[in-house]
Amino acid sequence: MTAPGAPHQNYFHLHLVSDSTGETLINVGRAACAQYVNVLPIEHVYPLVRSPKQLERVLTEIEASPGIVLYTLVDKDIRDQLKRRCTELSVPFMSVLAPVVQLFQSYLGGEPQPRVGGQHALDATYFKRIDALNYTVAHDDGQLSDDLEEADVILLGVSRTSKTPTSIYLANRGIKTANIPLVPNVPVPQAIERLRKPLVVGLIASAERIVEIRQNRLLGLNAPTTNSSYVDREAVSEELANSRRLFARHGWPLIDVTRRSIEETAAAIIGHLSERRRQKIVET
């Protein structure tokens, strides 16, 4: 059943108003929208809204394209102005952080001290993430294999198993990640077998998926897609079988990325990493 006042078309306007970067709102909004497969949001993102003048431009756009309004605003006057105008326009609005902050307050006691963009502070966590990104970019696709012991995670897999984007995602979480391609007839660096600190993870996918991605890549490069073992179904299947045997021989965890998003693959890796750290704590 369509909610009262809801649009009948298969899209709606989603206004995201923030006094910081807007990343929190974007993530929450998209996570909620993903629950409605037949409805698409038209996102209007307004970052760094910190003055009444800046808010006026936002309110003008909300009036021109009514829809859902989500916001994260620390300044009470600006927040009240937005709420008042949304009420006048009869558009739904919500602070995405207020319920969570209220829950924290009821449990922790005391009053919160709101800070604009507090999650983006230049603290140790921030610099750890930057350090991880620098390391990961420098160790992409088998580069600089001399200092792999410094990595938190090492990803192995045949070509087109999403090693690089997964590495970058993990680095954004502060996890130093190196990735090494498995190439036919090229042995894996023996140094990997002697590593103690990094978690080595194998990535695989179905042969059909690998062939499809490789063919698209060759088309993008205007390269021939025939008479090449790179896109031959049997050759790819053999590559994957060899990689599976390698992972099993060393007891390295294996993740099938065929139907996983980068975020889901990274979450599985982080789960393996957390479990490994818990085991080390228990052993000590």
Side-chain angles (χ1 to χ4, degrees), residues 48-121:
L48 304 175
V49 178
R50 299 177 180 178
S51 71
K53 184 177 180 180
Q54 291 170 325
L55 182 61
E56 280 300 329
R57 178 181 65 83
V58 174
L59 294 173
T60 299
E61 294 200 28
I62 293 175
E63 184 175 3
S65 304
I68 295 175
V69 177
L70 300 180
Y71 65 90
T72 53
L73 297 168
V74 169
D75 188 282
K76 184 178 184 301
D77 292 337
I78 295 177
R79 189 169 65 241
D80 289 345
Q81 183 181 349
L82 174 65
K83 292 162 63 176
R84 183 170 57 253
R85 188 66 181 126
C86 285
T87 300
E88 293 172 355
L89 294 172
S90 297
V91 297
F93 60 90
M94 174 179 285
S95 167
V96 301
L97 288 181
V100 179
V101 172
Q102 289 170 5
L103 178 63
F104 273 55
Q105 185 176 355
S106 66
Y107 183 79
L108 300 174
E111 289 290 330
Q113 298 178 340
R115 292 184 298 149
V116 174
Q119 72 272 37
H120 302 298

Side-chain angles (χ1 to χ4, degrees), residues 25 28 41 59 90 110-111 181 198 200 216 223 226 229 244 246 257 280:
L25 286 173
V28 171
L59 294 173
S90 297
E111 289 290 330
V200 181
N216 289 335
T226 57
S229 60
R244 283 179 177 273
L246 173 69
V257 304
K280 285 187 176 180

